[in-house]
Amino acid sequence: MNRFAKYAVMLIAAAWLTAPALTHAADWRIDPTHTTVSFKVRHLGVTWVQGEFQRVSGTVRYDRKNPGASAADIVIDADSINTRNARRDNHLRNDDFLLVEKHPTIKFKSKSVKNAGAEGLDLVGDLTIRGVTKEVVLKVADISGEVKTRRGTVKMGASATTRINRKDFGVKYNRLLDAGGLVVGNEVRITIDVELNKL
């Protein structure tokens, strides 16, 4: 066997030995029908007003044997905001808040993983709202097992939460109460309950 043939055999053997490790990583697509992106903000300092975005898409990489390799790329349609009040929703779409005409999407793209374990992980990534990008941490938990449907689709799910200050993203509108305090709180609590389809 000449030197070239020996080299080729070595490459093939190396590829065969490493292939099983590569097959553990799985790519998933968000199922928008069964995924909810919800948020809540303080109103008048006395309660929480809740809403959701009704259109979301994206992909996730998750390897149960190597959760540190996880990743997510999520796109939310900002115009799909729904707080069960049409007048308020239209206000949230305009320049005082999301300015959806110029910034139609909200995006999250992960760039690293921290605290990965069997119970969950922290996805560190860039969140873009209203054209402003800031680093946030999505705390991922409730990671389910895989389930195969009657149609043969393999599914899994998880939940992720984070908190942001809306003013960091240029969403600065507010009004003062007569007795002091703000009509709209600055902290926004976000929850993503996601269902995934295996690709």
Side-chain angles (χ1 to χ4, degrees), residues 139-177:
K139 292 189 169 295
V140 182
D142 297 330
I143 302 172
S144 77
E146 296 182 12
V147 175
K148 191 172 185 179
T149 69
R150 291 183 179 180
R151 295 183 178 182
T153 303
V154 178
K155 290 180 171 285
M156 68 171 291
S159 294
T161 59
T162 192
R163 298 183 183 187
I164 64 170
N165 186 322
R166 62 186 178 87
K167 295 176 72 175
D168 291 343
F169 295 87
V171 184
K172 299 180 179 179
Y173 171 85
N174 224 323
R175 287 187 293 122
L176 289 173
L177 296 168

Coordinates of all heavy atoms in Angstrom, one line a residue, residues 139-177:
K139 N -33.0 31.9 30.6 CA -32.8 30.8 31.5 C -33.8 29.7 31.0 O -35.0 29.8 31.1 CB -33.1 31.2 32.9 CG -32.1 32.2 33.5 CD -32.3 32.5 35.0 CE -31.1 33.2 35.6 NZ -29.9 32.3 35.5
V140 N -33.2 28.6 30.5 CA -34.0 27.5 30.0 C -34.2 26.4 31.0 O -33.2 26.0 31.6 CB -33.3 27.0 28.7 CG1 -34.1 25.9 28.1 CG2 -33.0 28.1 27.7
A141 N -35.4 26.0 31.1 CA -35.8 24.9 32.1 C -36.9 24.1 31.5 O -37.4 24.3 30.4 CB -36.2 25.5 33.4
D142 N -37.4 23.1 32.3 CA -38.5 22.3 31.9 C -38.3 21.7 30.5 O -39.2 21.6 29.7 CB -39.8 23.1 31.9 CG -40.2 23.6 33.2 OD1 -39.9 22.9 34.2 OD2 -40.9 24.7 33.3
I143 N -37.1 21.2 30.3 CA -36.7 20.5 29.0 C -37.3 19.1 29.0 O -37.0 18.3 29.8 CB -35.2 20.5 28.8 CG1 -34.6 21.9 28.9 CG2 -34.9 19.8 27.5 CD1 -33.1 21.9 28.9
S144 N -38.2 18.9 28.1 CA -38.9 17.6 28.0 C -38.1 16.5 27.3 O -37.1 16.8 26.7 CB -40.3 17.8 27.3 OG -40.1 17.8 25.9
G145 N -38.6 15.3 27.4 CA -38.1 14.3 26.6 C -38.7 14.4 25.2 O -39.5 15.2 24.9
E146 N -38.2 13.5 24.3 CA -38.7 13.5 22.9 C -39.9 12.6 22.8 O -40.0 11.5 23.4 CB -37.6 13.0 22.0 CG -36.4 13.8 21.9 CD -35.3 13.4 21.0 OE1 -35.6 12.4 20.2 OE2 -34.2 13.9 21.0
V147 N -40.9 13.1 22.0 CA -42.1 12.4 21.8 C -42.4 12.2 20.3 O -42.2 13.2 19.5 CB -43.3 13.1 22.4 CG1 -44.6 12.4 22.1 CG2 -43.2 13.2 23.9
K148 N -42.7 11.1 19.8 CA -43.0 10.8 18.4 C -44.5 10.8 18.2 O -45.2 10.0 18.9 CB -42.4 9.5 17.9 CG -42.5 9.4 16.4 CD -41.6 8.2 16.0 CE -41.6 8.0 14.5 NZ -40.8 6.9 14.1
T149 N -45.0 11.7 17.3 CA -46.5 11.7 17.1 C -46.9 10.6 16.1 O -46.1 9.9 15.5 CB -46.9 13.1 16.5 OG1 -46.3 13.2 15.2 CG2 -46.3 14.2 17.3
R150 N -48.2 10.5 15.9 CA -48.8 9.5 15.0 C -48.3 9.8 13.6 O -48.2 8.8 12.8 CB -50.3 9.5 15.1 CG -50.9 8.9 16.4 CD -52.4 8.9 16.4 NE -52.9 8.4 17.6 CZ -54.2 8.2 17.8 NH1 -55.1 8.6 16.9 NH2 -54.6 7.7 19.0
R151 N -48.0 11.0 13.3 CA -47.6 11.4 11.9 C -46.1 11.2 11.8 O -45.5 11.4 10.7 CB -48.0 12.8 11.6 CG -49.5 13.1 11.6 CD -49.8 14.5 11.2 NE -51.2 14.7 11.1 CZ -51.7 15.9 10.8 NH1 -50.9 17.0 10.5 NH2 -53.0 16.0 10.7
G152 N -45.4 10.8 12.8 CA -44.0 10.5 12.7 C -43.1 11.7 13.1 O -41.9 11.5 13.0
T153 N -43.7 12.8 13.5 CA -42.9 14.0 13.8 C -42.4 13.8 15.2 O -43.1 13.4 16.2 CB -43.8 15.2 13.8 OG1 -44.3 15.4 12.5 CG2 -42.9 16.5 14.1
V154 N -41.1 14.0 15.4 CA -40.5 14.0 16.8 C -40.5 15.4 17.4 O -40.0 16.3 16.8 CB -39.0 13.4 16.7 CG1 -38.4 13.4 18.1 CG2 -39.0 12.0 16.1
K155 N -41.0 15.5 18.6 CA -41.2 16.7 19.2 C -40.5 16.8 20.6 O -40.3 15.7 21.2 CB -42.7 17.1 19.4 CG -43.4 17.4 18.1 CD -44.9 17.7 18.4 CE -45.6 18.2 17.2 NZ -45.2 19.6 16.9
M156 N -40.2 18.0 21.1 CA -39.8 18.2 22.4 C -40.1 19.6 22.8 O -40.5 20.4 21.9 CB -38.3 17.9 22.6 CG -37.4 18.9 22.0 SD -35.6 18.7 22.5 CE -35.7 19.3 24.2
G157 N -40.0 20.0 24.1 CA -40.4 21.3 24.5 C -39.5 21.8 25.6 O -38.8 21.0 26.2
A158 N -39.6 23.1 25.9 CA -38.9 23.7 27.0 C -39.5 25.1 27.3 O -40.3 25.6 26.5 CB -37.4 23.9 26.6
S159 N -39.1 25.7 28.4 CA -39.5 27.0 28.7 C -38.2 27.9 29.0 O -37.2 27.3 29.5 CB -40.4 27.0 30.0 OG -41.6 26.4 29.7
A160 N -38.3 29.1 28.6 CA -37.2 30.0 28.9 C -37.7 31.4 29.4 O -38.8 31.8 29.0 CB -36.4 30.3 27.6
T161 N -37.0 32.0 30.3 CA -37.4 33.3 30.9 C -36.2 34.2 30.9 O -35.1 33.8 30.9 CB -37.9 33.1 32.3 OG1 -36.9 32.5 33.1 CG2 -39.2 32.2 32.3
T162 N -36.6 35.5 30.8 CA -35.6 36.6 31.0 C -36.3 37.8 31.4 O -37.5 37.9 31.3 CB -34.8 36.8 29.7 OG1 -33.7 37.7 30.0 CG2 -35.6 37.5 28.6
R163 N -35.5 38.8 32.0 CA -36.0 40.1 32.3 C -35.2 41.2 31.7 O -34.0 41.1 31.7 CB -36.0 40.3 33.9 CG -36.9 39.3 34.6 CD -36.8 39.6 36.1 NE -37.6 38.6 36.9 CZ -37.8 38.6 38.2 NH1 -37.4 39.7 38.9 NH2 -38.5 37.7 38.8
I164 N -35.9 42.2 31.2 CA -35.1 43.3 30.5 C -35.7 44.6 31.0 O -36.8 44.7 31.5 CB -35.2 43.2 29.0 CG1 -36.7 43.4 28.5 CG2 -34.7 41.9 28.4 CD1 -36.9 43.6 27.0
N165 N -34.9 45.7 30.9 CA -35.4 47.0 31.1 C -35.7 47.6 29.7 O -34.8 47.7 28.9 CB -34.3 47.8 31.8 CG -34.8 49.2 32.1 OD1 -35.5 49.9 31.4 ND2 -34.3 49.7 33.3
R166 N -36.9 47.9 29.5 CA -37.3 48.3 28.1 C -36.6 49.6 27.7 O -36.4 49.8 26.5 CB -38.9 48.5 28.1 CG -39.4 49.6 29.0 CD -40.9 49.6 29.0 NE -41.5 50.6 29.9 CZ -41.7 51.9 29.6 NH1 -41.3 52.3 28.4 NH2 -42.2 52.8 30.5
K167 N -36.2 50.4 28.6 CA -35.5 51.7 28.3 C -34.1 51.4 27.6 O -33.6 52.2 26.9 CB -35.4 52.6 29.5 CG -36.7 53.1 30.1 CD -36.5 53.9 31.3 CE -35.9 55.2 31.1 NZ -35.9 56.1 32.3
D168 N -33.6 50.2 28.0 CA -32.3 49.9 27.4 C -32.4 49.7 25.8 O -31.4 49.8 25.1 CB -31.8 48.6 28.0 CG -31.3 48.7 29.4 OD1 -31.1 49.9 29.8 OD2 -31.2 47.7 30.1
F169 N -33.6 49.4 25.4 CA -33.9 49.2 24.0 C -34.6 50.4 23.3 O -35.1 50.3 22.2 CB -34.8 47.9 23.8 CG -34.1 46.7 24.2 CD1 -34.1 46.3 25.6 CD2 -33.3 45.9 23.3 CE1 -33.5 45.1 26.0 CE2 -32.7 44.8 23.8 CZ -32.7 44.4 25.1
G170 N -34.5 51.5 23.9 CA -35.1 52.8 23.4 C -36.6 52.9 23.5 O -37.2 53.8 22.9
V171 N -37.2 52.1 24.3 CA -38.6 52.1 24.6 C -38.8 53.0 25.9 O -38.9 52.4 27.0 CB -39.3 50.8 24.7 CG1 -40.8 50.9 24.9 CG2 -38.9 49.9 23.5
K172 N -38.9 54.3 25.7 CA -38.8 55.2 26.9 C -40.1 55.9 27.2 O -40.2 56.6 28.2 CB -37.8 56.2 26.6 CG -36.4 55.6 26.4 CD -35.3 56.7 26.1 CE -33.9 56.1 26.0 NZ -32.9 57.1 25.7
Y173 N -41.2 55.6 26.5 CA -42.5 56.3 26.7 C -43.0 56.0 28.2 O -42.9 54.9 28.6 CB -43.5 55.9 25.7 CG -44.9 56.4 26.1 CD1 -45.3 57.6 25.7 CD2 -45.8 55.6 26.8 CE1 -46.6 58.1 26.0 CE2 -47.0 56.0 27.1 CZ -47.4 57.3 26.8 OH -48.7 57.7 27.1
N174 N -43.5 57.1 28.8 CA -44.1 56.9 30.1 C -44.9 58.1 30.5 O -44.7 59.2 29.9 CB -43.1 56.5 31.2 CG -43.7 55.4 32.1 OD1 -44.9 55.3 32.3 ND2 -42.8 54.5 32.5
R175 N -45.7 58.0 31.5 CA -46.4 59.1 32.1 C -46.3 59.0 33.6 O -46.4 57.9 34.2 CB -47.9 59.1 31.7 CG -48.1 59.6 30.3 CD -49.5 59.8 29.9 NE -50.3 58.5 29.9 CZ -51.3 58.3 30.6 NH1 -51.8 59.2 31.5 NH2 -52.0 57.1 30.5
L176 N -46.2 60.1 34.3 CA -46.2 60.1 35.8 C -47.6 60.1 36.4 O -48.5 60.8 35.8 CB -45.4 61.3 36.3 CG -43.9 61.3 36.1 CD1 -43.3 62.6 36.5 CD2 -43.3 60.2 36.9
L177 N -47.8 59.4 37.5 CA -49.1 59.4 38.2 C -49.1 60.7 39.0 O -48.1 61.2 39.4 CB -49.2 58.2 39.1 CG -49.2 56.8 38.4 CD1 -49.1 55.7 39.4 CD2 -50.5 56.7 37.6

